[in-house]
Amino acid sequence: IDEGTFDNLATLVFLAVLVVVILLAISFRSVRGVVFPLVGLSFALIWTYGILNLAGSRFTALEVAVAPLVLGLGIDYSIHLQRRYNAFRSEIEDSAESWLASCARLSTPLGLAVITTVAAFLANIISPLPPLETFGIALAVGVISAFINATIVVGALHVVLDKSGETI
């Protein structure tokens, strides 16, 4: 079952990425508004599966569902941060200051969202089923990775690549 499920992982990730691209394109209508969060989400998936592999986790069919869930949860962080960034960018010329202002403005709501989501997934640790325990840990790591990448990687891309006075 596990091997058969992992054969479908590429298809599942492709479909999840396609949905994310469509949502980002509708939300931002710009190449940067789509590409920057995709880079951050790609890093989050690499970190998630890499950390699990380094920890010696045994991958089961449940870990296939981690990728679309991390993409779905992580895209929310990027959308909120980029929307706020665009609002500040019309007021503040410097892209670094605009990104910092958007992070400061959203730190409490996004921080609470991450904490509650991670806590809910970590509740699976008490499960008597080892695959469910690993699934909960994988999702918690994925949510934390998505949040870090949405704030740091996506922000760094905006700061480095956005020109003065240009909005995404």
Side-chain angles (χ1 to χ4, degrees):
I1 292 173
D2 291 340
E3 287 179 27
T5 305
F6 278 111
D7 291 341
N8 296 324
L9 178 62
T11 305
L12 189 60
V13 170
F14 173 75
L15 291 174
V17 168
L18 183 65
V19 169
V20 166
V21 168
I22 290 169
L23 289 173
L24 287 170
I26 290 169
S27 295
F28 296 106
R29 294 184 178 93
S30 73
V31 174
R32 289 181 182 186
V34 173
V35 172
F36 289 2
L38 280 179
V39 170
L41 289 171
S42 298
F43 283 9
L45 289 177
I46 292 167
W47 287 14
T48 301
Y49 286 111
I51 289 169
L52 291 173
N53 190 40
L54 286 174
S57 294
R58 183 180 174 278
F59 292 101
T60 64
L62 286 175
E63 276 70 40
V64 171
V66 170
L69 285 169
V70 169
L71 287 171
L73 292 166
I75 196 61
D76 186 49
Y77 307 139
S78 293
I79 288 173
H80 285 298
L81 286 165
Q82 285 192 145
R83 283 253 181 242
R84 184 59 60 190
Y85 171 76
N86 285 340
F88 280 120
R89 191 73 172 150
S90 62
E91 301 168 10
I92 303 170
E93 177 115 1
D94 185 44
S95 59
E97 287 182 37
S98 298
W99 188 261
L100 288 174
S102 66
C103 286
R105 180 65 158 264
L106 294 172
S107 64
T108 301
L110 288 182
L112 289 173
V114 170
I115 290 167
T116 56
T117 305
V118 167
F121 289 140
L122 286 178
N124 287 321
I125 287 177
I126 62 171
S127 172
L129 303 171
L132 196 56
E133 179 183 353
T134 303
F135 180 65
I137 292 169
L139 286 173
V141 169
V143 167
I144 292 168
S145 297
F147 178 71
I148 291 170
N149 281 289
T151 55
I152 296 174
V153 173
V154 176
L157 289 168
H158 281 294
V159 169
V160 172
L161 298 176
D162 282 353
K163 294 184 179 88
S164 222
E166 179 185 341
T167 58
I168 61 166

